[in-house]
Amino acid sequence: MSTPSPLARGVQRITSSALGPYQSAVIRIGFSVTYLLFLLRELPHRHEMYGPDSPWSWGMAKQLISGNEAFSALLWSDSTVWFEIVYAVVLLSAALLMLGWHTRAMSVLFMVGVLSLQNRSIFLGDGGDNVIHLMAIYLVLTRCGQVWSLDARRAARVAREAPPEGTGAGRPVRNVAGAVLWVVLGLALVAGSVADGFGGTWWLPALFWVMWIGHGAWWAVNRYAPQSEPRTLLDVIANLVHNATLVVIMAEVCLIYATAGWYKIQGSRWQDGTALYYPLKLDYFTPWPALSDILASSGVMVMILTYGTVIVQVAFPFTLFNRRVKNVLLVAMMCEHAGIALLLGLPFFSMAMIAADSVFLPTVFLVWLGGRVTLGRQLLLSRADRVPEQRRSGEEEAPQHSGSGGHTLVG
């Protein structure tokens, strides 16, 4: 029997599985948490930012949208009630996407919410908002709920409870919530298409319709013919789209750092090593004035951080083929963004960039990290379960007799 060629092995790999399941899960969690925290922080100011009290009025936004063909569900109506509904849906979709509950539907709602809010008041965004804007679109095309999600937990439970193959017993578990979501989103899609509420573009409603019909077909095939060739074909298509999107995300991150680094090289303040000094002296970017003053008072530290920022951003795309160097620079960039969040008061920009950087994290590290989080959660739950028992018995429980503790430690 002949050995498959490298090309055949490569094709087999990209069609048979969705690559980077842990990386895509971290991206899903990172961006949904970032936007959820942002929406919660701005909850008292939501009307001034995106709602009826915004300086950028509904009529002005409507006029701009009619010219650039952007999409925003907030422009379907200028009612305050409609604004509150959309804002609540965005909050809920971000929370459920973070948890991985019906990930595909929540990723679509999350994208709709991000586009709706950001396109309603385009002058409020910064670099972090632009990254969230792009990643919200990319997440729709990925299979980002394979691990670390309620979907993955439900799939594992169904697999454990499924009868052995060949017995002919049992049927797939009914997914009532998924069916209801599909119907509701279908009705919303019909209403939006009839009212021409997709910004005048053809690709956005086409994308929504393809995904909606595709999910209906996926559900039907998975329920009535789970071992058939159409089911395999749908898996291959989904894997190809996921893997291609993951490559696009990687290229997007590299492009962000490459352009930022090369533009910095052209600036005179970055060339003489003093660029970092100036934002540290701006009141708007100094949440901790004393800390900023300490750092700005050291010319050597300012020069090192200024040159280091440029070197890391320019060099990173060229280190992707050397795993060790790439990991070192990846840690350096994440520390850089953590410093931006602390020193310049830009937490959501930093969180968005760290979430984007996570696409390059090693799988071994993510698996180890997931194991530690799971172990910590199990230990915490086991301790919580033991405390009421100890109170009822009125005596200390010896550790060597703790059956639940032993089970927790072995996972």
Side-chain angles (χ1 to χ4, degrees), residues 180-363:
V180 171
L181 275 174
W182 187 78
V183 172
V184 171
L185 292 178
L187 294 175
L189 185 57
V190 170
S193 300
V194 171
D196 194 21
F198 293 106
T201 61
W202 64 268
W203 65 268
L204 189 60
L207 174 64
F208 286 150
W209 278 110
V210 167
M211 293 190 64
W212 187 77
I213 295 173
H215 277 286
W218 185 290
W219 176 87
V221 171
N222 193 50
R223 179 166 180 80
Y224 298 107
Q227 306 298 328
S228 63
E229 291 184 0
R231 177 67 171 82
T232 303
L233 177 62
L234 290 174
D235 259 332
V236 169
I237 294 175
N239 291 335
L240 285 173
V241 173
H242 168 92
N243 295 333
T245 305
L246 211 59
V247 172
V248 172
I249 293 175
M250 294 178 182
E252 188 75 43
V253 175
C254 290
L255 183 63
I256 290 173
Y257 283 119
T259 54
W262 285 106
Y263 271 113
K264 286 181 175 67
I265 288 178
Q266 302 175 44
S268 59
R269 295 293 177 264
W270 291 95
Q271 292 175 6
D272 60 26
T274 62
L276 184 62
Y277 174 83
Y278 299 98
L280 291 176
K281 289 299 183 178
L282 295 175
D283 293 338
Y284 187 77
F285 292 107
T286 53
W288 312 98
L291 183 60
S292 298
D293 290 340
I294 292 174
L295 183 59
S297 64
S298 174
V300 175
M301 184 60 66
V302 169
M303 183 185 66
I304 292 175
L305 292 177
T306 301
Y307 286 148
T309 299
V310 176
I311 292 172
V312 168
Q313 291 183 350
V314 173
F316 179 73
F318 300 99
T319 65
L320 297 182
F321 300 101
N322 189 310
R323 182 177 300 178
R324 293 183 178 179
V325 178
K326 182 263 295 182
N327 290 339
V328 171
L329 290 188
L330 188 61
V331 172
M333 286 194 303
M334 289 184 172
C335 292
E336 172 194 334
H337 289 302
I340 291 174
L342 179 64
L343 294 173
L344 302 184
L346 298 172
F348 300 111
F349 166 78
S350 299
M351 290 175 65
M353 290 308 304
I354 291 175
D357 294 342
S358 300
V359 71
F360 295 107
L361 286 174
T363 301

Side-chain angles (χ1 to χ4, degrees), residues 31 34-35 38 50 114-115 118-119 121-138 252 256 348-349 352-353 356:
F31 280 100
T34 300
Y35 208 61
F38 170 77
Y50 306 109
V114 170
L115 296 181
Q118 292 188 357
N119 290 337
S121 300
I122 61 173
F123 299 107
L124 291 178
D126 57 17
D129 294 303
N130 294 335
V131 175
I132 294 175
H133 190 114
L134 292 172
M135 293 300 173
I137 299 175
Y138 297 152
E252 188 75 43
I256 290 173
F348 300 111
F349 166 78
M353 290 308 304

Side-chain angles (χ1 to χ4, degrees), residues 47-72:
H47 286 260
E48 291 78 13
M49 296 182 64
Y50 306 109
D53 300 330
S54 173
W56 186 251
S57 67
W58 186 87
M60 297 168 67
K62 186 77 172 178
Q63 184 177 358
L64 179 63
I65 289 295
S66 63
N68 61 14
E69 296 185 340
F71 166 78
S72 176

